[in-house]
Amino acid sequence: MTCTDFLATMTDYFDGETDAELLSEIRAHLDSCEHCEILVNTTRQTIQIYRDHQVYEFTAEVREHTISSIMHRCGLRKTA
Ligand SMILES: [Zn+2]
């Protein structure tokens, strides 16, 4: 799994909608990729903050922002 692959599955991951096989690939990637691990931790904290205020919603804006920041950190260019 690459960072781009992870990004594609990240919303499902946070929604708890990934199957067991994919989940183990994601976990393996997170173990080996500092960038994505940081991203996950940051996103999880953000979600927690939203939940605490009961306005949690993984909006397009949040998703766009998160994806942009990881792409930037990994030195990847956004193709989509
Ligand atoms: Zn990564």
Side-chain angles (χ1 to χ4, degrees), residues 28-80:
H29 180 76
L30 293 177
D31 279 346
S32 64
C33 180
E34 187 186 339
H35 300 296
C36 289
E37 190 189 19
I38 291 169
L39 176 75
V40 164
N41 290 337
T42 309
T43 307
R44 190 170 280 141
Q45 282 168 16
T46 306
I47 289 171
Q48 191 59 51
I49 290 165
Y50 276 102
R51 279 191 178 143
D52 287 347
H53 292 81
Q54 299 190 329
V55 291
Y56 167 67
E57 195 181 346
F58 208 91
T59 62
E61 196 181 331
V62 171
R63 188 157 42 219
E64 186 67 21
H65 177 76
T66 341
I67 289 174
S68 302
S69 42
I70 186 70
M71 290 298 229
H72 182 73
R73 277 185 196 165
C74 291
L76 298 170
R77 278 183 198 282
K78 205 172 165 208
T79 51

